[in-house]
Coordinates of all heavy atoms in Angstrom, one line a residue:
N419 N -9.8 23.1 -28.3 CA -10.0 23.2 -29.8 C -11.2 22.5 -30.2 O -11.6 21.5 -29.6 CB -8.8 22.6 -30.5 CG -7.4 23.3 -30.1 OD1 -6.4 22.7 -30.0 ND2 -7.5 24.6 -29.8
L420 N -11.8 23.0 -31.3 CA -13.0 22.4 -31.9 C -12.6 21.4 -33.0 O -12.0 21.8 -34.0 CB -14.0 23.5 -32.4 CG -15.3 23.0 -32.9 CD1 -16.1 22.5 -31.7 CD2 -16.1 24.1 -33.6
L421 N -12.9 20.2 -32.8 CA -12.6 19.1 -33.8 C -13.8 18.8 -34.7 O -14.8 18.3 -34.2 CB -12.1 17.9 -33.1 CG -11.7 16.7 -34.0 CD1 -10.4 17.1 -34.8 CD2 -11.5 15.4 -33.2
Y422 N -13.7 19.1 -36.0 CA -14.8 18.7 -36.9 C -14.6 17.3 -37.3 O -13.5 16.8 -37.5 CB -14.7 19.6 -38.2 CG -15.6 19.2 -39.3 CD1 -16.8 19.7 -39.4 CD2 -15.1 18.2 -40.3 CE1 -17.7 19.3 -40.5 CE2 -15.9 17.8 -41.3 CZ -17.2 18.4 -41.4 OH -18.0 18.0 -42.4
I423 N -15.8 16.6 -37.4 CA -15.8 15.1 -37.8 C -16.8 15.0 -38.9 O -18.0 15.3 -38.7 CB -16.2 14.2 -36.6 CG1 -15.2 14.5 -35.4 CG2 -16.2 12.8 -37.0 CD1 -15.6 13.8 -34.1
G424 N -16.3 14.6 -40.0 CA -17.1 14.5 -41.3 C -18.0 13.3 -41.3 O -18.0 12.5 -42.2
E425 N -18.9 13.2 -40.3 CA -19.9 12.1 -40.2 C -21.3 12.7 -40.0 O -21.3 13.8 -39.4 CB -19.6 11.1 -39.1 CG -18.2 10.5 -39.2 CD -18.1 9.5 -40.3 OE1 -19.1 9.0 -40.9 OE2 -16.9 9.1 -40.7
I426 N -22.3 12.1 -40.3 CA -23.7 12.6 -40.2 C -24.0 12.8 -38.7 O -23.7 12.0 -37.9 CB -24.7 11.7 -40.9 CG1 -26.0 12.5 -41.2 CG2 -25.0 10.5 -40.1 CD1 -26.0 13.5 -42.2
Y427 N -24.7 13.9 -38.4 CA -25.1 14.2 -37.1 C -26.4 13.4 -36.8 O -27.4 13.5 -37.4 CB -25.4 15.7 -36.9 CG -25.9 16.1 -35.6 CD1 -25.0 16.2 -34.5 CD2 -27.2 16.5 -35.4 CE1 -25.5 16.6 -33.2 CE2 -27.7 16.9 -34.1 CZ -26.8 16.9 -33.0 OH -27.3 17.3 -31.8
Y428 N -26.3 12.5 -35.8 CA -27.5 11.7 -35.4 C -27.5 11.5 -33.9 O -27.1 10.4 -33.4 CB -27.4 10.3 -36.2 CG -28.7 9.5 -36.0 CD1 -29.9 10.0 -36.6 CD2 -28.7 8.3 -35.4 CE1 -31.0 9.2 -36.5 CE2 -29.8 7.5 -35.3 CZ -31.0 8.0 -35.8 OH -32.2 7.2 -35.7
P429 N -28.1 12.4 -33.2 CA -28.0 12.4 -31.7 C -28.8 11.2 -31.0 O -28.4 10.9 -29.9 CB -28.6 13.7 -31.3 CG -29.4 14.2 -32.5 CD -28.7 13.6 -33.7
P430 N -29.8 10.6 -31.7 CA -30.5 9.5 -31.0 C -29.6 8.4 -30.6 O -29.8 7.7 -29.5 CB -31.5 9.0 -31.9 CG -31.8 10.2 -32.8 CD -30.5 10.9 -32.9
C431 N -28.5 8.1 -31.3 CA -27.7 6.9 -31.1 C -26.2 7.1 -31.0 O -25.5 6.3 -30.3 CB -28.0 5.8 -32.2 SG -29.7 5.3 -32.1
W432 N -25.7 8.1 -31.7 CA -24.2 8.3 -31.6 C -23.8 9.0 -30.4 O -24.3 10.0 -30.0 CB -23.7 9.1 -32.9 CG -23.5 8.2 -34.1 CD1 -24.3 8.1 -35.2 CD2 -22.5 7.3 -34.3 NE1 -23.8 7.2 -36.1 CE2 -22.7 6.7 -35.6 CE3 -21.3 6.9 -33.6 CZ2 -21.8 5.8 -36.1 CZ3 -20.5 6.0 -34.2 CH2 -20.7 5.4 -35.4
R433 N -22.8 8.4 -29.7 CA -22.3 8.9 -28.4 C -20.8 9.1 -28.6 O -20.1 8.3 -29.2 CB -22.5 8.0 -27.2 CG -24.0 7.7 -27.0 CD -24.7 8.9 -26.4 NE -26.1 8.6 -26.2 CZ -27.1 8.9 -27.0 NH1 -26.8 9.5 -28.2 NH2 -28.4 8.6 -26.7
A434 N -20.2 10.2 -27.9 CA -18.8 10.5 -28.0 C -18.2 10.3 -26.6 O -18.8 10.6 -25.6 CB -18.6 11.9 -28.5
F435 N -16.9 9.9 -26.6 CA -16.1 9.7 -25.4 C -14.7 10.2 -25.6 O -14.1 9.9 -26.7 CB -16.1 8.2 -25.0 CG -17.5 7.6 -24.8 CD1 -18.2 7.1 -25.9 CD2 -18.1 7.6 -23.5 CE1 -19.5 6.5 -25.7 CE2 -19.3 7.1 -23.3 CZ -20.0 6.5 -24.4
I436 N -14.2 11.0 -24.7 CA -12.8 11.4 -24.7 C -12.1 10.8 -23.6 O -12.4 11.0 -22.4 CB -12.7 12.9 -24.6 CG1 -13.4 13.6 -25.8 CG2 -11.2 13.4 -24.6 CD1 -13.4 15.1 -25.8
D437 N -11.1 9.9 -23.9 CA -10.4 9.1 -22.9 C -11.4 8.4 -22.0 O -11.2 8.3 -20.7 CB -9.5 10.0 -22.0 CG -8.4 10.7 -22.9 OD1 -8.0 10.1 -23.9 OD2 -8.0 11.8 -22.6
G438 N -12.5 7.8 -22.6 CA -13.4 7.1 -21.8 C -14.5 7.8 -21.2 O -15.5 7.3 -20.6
Q439 N -14.4 9.2 -21.1 CA -15.4 10.0 -20.5 C -16.4 10.6 -21.5 O -16.0 11.0 -22.6 CB -14.7 11.2 -19.7 CG -13.8 10.7 -18.6 CD -14.5 9.9 -17.6 OE1 -15.6 10.2 -17.1 NE2 -14.0 8.7 -17.2
P440 N -17.7 10.6 -21.2 CA -18.7 11.1 -22.2 C -18.4 12.6 -22.6 O -18.0 13.4 -21.8 CB -20.0 11.1 -21.4 CG -19.8 10.0 -20.4 CD -18.3 10.1 -20.0
A441 N -18.6 12.8 -23.9 CA -18.4 14.2 -24.4 C -19.6 14.6 -25.3 O -20.2 13.7 -25.9 CB -17.1 14.3 -25.2
K442 N -19.9 15.8 -25.4 CA -21.0 16.3 -26.1 C -20.7 16.4 -27.6 O -19.6 17.0 -28.0 CB -21.6 17.6 -25.6 CG -22.9 18.1 -26.2 CD -23.4 19.3 -25.5 CE -24.7 19.8 -26.2 NZ -25.7 18.8 -26.3
I443 N -21.6 16.0 -28.5 CA -21.4 16.2 -29.9 C -22.3 17.4 -30.4 O -23.4 17.5 -30.0 CB -21.9 14.9 -30.7 CG1 -21.1 13.7 -30.3 CG2 -21.8 15.1 -32.2 CD1 -21.6 12.4 -30.9
F444 N -21.7 18.3 -31.1 CA -22.4 19.5 -31.6 C -22.7 19.4 -33.0 O -21.9 18.9 -33.9 CB -21.5 20.7 -31.3 CG -21.0 20.9 -29.9 CD1 -19.8 20.5 -29.5 CD2 -21.9 21.3 -28.9 CE1 -19.3 20.6 -28.2 CE2 -21.5 21.4 -27.6 CZ -20.2 21.1 -27.2
K445 N -23.9 19.8 -33.4 CA -24.4 19.8 -34.8 C -23.7 20.9 -35.5 O -23.8 22.1 -35.1 CB -25.9 20.1 -34.8 CG -26.6 20.0 -36.1 CD -28.1 20.1 -35.9 CE -28.8 19.9 -37.3 NZ -29.1 21.2 -37.9
T446 N -22.9 20.5 -36.5 CA -21.9 21.5 -37.1 C -22.2 21.5 -38.6 O -22.3 20.4 -39.3 CB -20.5 21.0 -36.8 OG1 -20.4 20.9 -35.4 CG2 -19.5 22.0 -37.3
D447 N -22.1 22.7 -39.2 CA -22.3 22.9 -40.6 C -23.5 22.1 -41.1 O -23.6 21.5 -42.1 CB -21.0 22.4 -41.4 CG -19.8 23.3 -41.2 OD1 -20.0 24.4 -40.7 OD2 -18.7 22.8 -41.4
F448 N -24.6 22.3 -40.3 CA -25.9 21.8 -40.5 C -26.1 20.3 -40.3 O -27.0 19.8 -39.6 CB -26.5 22.2 -41.9 CG -27.9 21.8 -42.0 CD1 -28.9 22.6 -41.4 CD2 -28.3 20.6 -42.7 CE1 -30.3 22.3 -41.5 CE2 -29.7 20.3 -42.8 CZ -30.6 21.1 -42.2
A449 N -25.2 19.4 -40.9 CA -25.5 18.0 -40.9 C -24.3 17.2 -40.4 O -24.4 15.9 -40.4 CB -25.8 17.6 -42.4
F450 N -23.3 17.8 -39.9 CA -22.1 17.1 -39.5 C -21.8 17.2 -37.9 O -22.7 17.8 -37.2 CB -20.9 17.5 -40.3 CG -21.2 17.4 -41.8 CD1 -21.5 18.5 -42.5 CD2 -21.1 16.2 -42.4 CE1 -21.8 18.4 -43.9 CE2 -21.4 16.1 -43.8 CZ -21.7 17.2 -44.5
R451 N -20.7 16.8 -37.5 CA -20.4 16.7 -36.0 C -19.1 17.5 -35.7 O -18.2 17.6 -36.5 CB -20.2 15.3 -35.5 CG -21.2 14.3 -36.0 CD -20.9 12.9 -35.5 NE -21.6 11.9 -36.3 CZ -21.4 10.6 -36.2 NH1 -20.5 10.1 -35.4 NH2 -22.1 9.7 -36.9

Side-chain angles (χ1 to χ4, degrees):
N419 300 147
L420 188 66
L421 180 67
Y422 170 90
I423 301 170
E425 305 287 346
I426 197 74
Y427 178 75
Y428 189 65
C431 296
W432 277 104
R433 301 288 181 265
F435 302 87
I436 299 178
D437 297 330
Q439 298 301 312
K442 185 173 178 58
I443 301 175
F444 304 103
K445 186 169 182 271
T446 306
D447 293 338
F448 186 79
F450 306 99
R451 312 176 197 173

